[in-house]
Amino acid sequence: QVQLVESGGGLVQAGGSLTLSCAASGPTFVGYIMGWFRQAPGKEREFVAAISWVGGRTIYADHVKGWFTISRDNAKNTMSLQIYSLKPEDTAIYYCAAGRPGSAPWANTRAYQAWGQGTQVTVSS
């Protein structure tokens, strides 16, 4: 079973940047999609970005295009999310997820079978 561990969260001032990392272990990830979601207090978990393990195809939520960048390092089995120009509304727990492509769109939580425990990002104004 795939295991995921996020890191890199913390307290950041508005306008700052942050890089979140996700370390994956377990079975081979060939064919997997890897995604980032976030959940703010009192809100539902929302899609942020996703990337295919092979080929590096990426998709982003419309509201993060331009200042979130997702990437992966196949040799190290890691995935990263770079966030620029952080805003207070980016405050949330950020989750890493992995899944085999199937009937669910990449932006849907149902596309993912494994989840990390989350890392807190807090942006102060």
Side-chain angles (χ1 to χ4, degrees), residues 98-117:
R100 294 185 179 276
S103 58
W106 289 15
N108 194 308
T109 56
R110 292 185 289 110
Y112 303 88
Q113 296 80 49
W115 293 82
Q117 82 290 348

Side-chain angles (χ1 to χ4, degrees), residues 15 24 70:
I70 189 172

Side-chain angles (χ1 to χ4, degrees), residues 12-80:
V12 184
Q13 286 191 330
S17 61
L18 204 60
T19 298
L20 306 181
S21 295
C22 174
S25 61
T28 179
F29 306 110
V30 174
Y32 272 68
I33 53 171
M34 305 290 292
W36 285 99
F37 288 74
R38 67 183 183 185
Q39 188 165 17
K43 295 188 177 181
E44 292 187 353
R45 191 169 298 190
E46 66 171 4
F47 172 73
V48 173
I51 187 168
S52 61
W53 201 256
V54 176
R57 178 193 168 199
T58 59
I59 63 169
Y60 294 90
D62 287 342
H63 59 278
V64 304
K65 285 181 181 177
W67 74 86
F68 281 42
T69 300
I70 189 172
S71 62
R72 85 273 187 259
D73 185 328
N74 292 15
K76 296 181 179 179
N77 282 355
T78 59
M79 177 179 66
S80 296

Side-chain angles (χ1 to χ4, degrees), residues 71-92:
S71 62
R72 85 273 187 259
D73 185 328
N74 292 15
K76 296 181 179 179
N77 282 355
T78 59
M79 177 179 66
S80 296
L81 184 70
Q82 293 178 287
I83 311 174
Y84 308 96
S85 300
L86 279 156
K87 307 171 185 176
E89 51 264 41
D90 293 319
T91 294

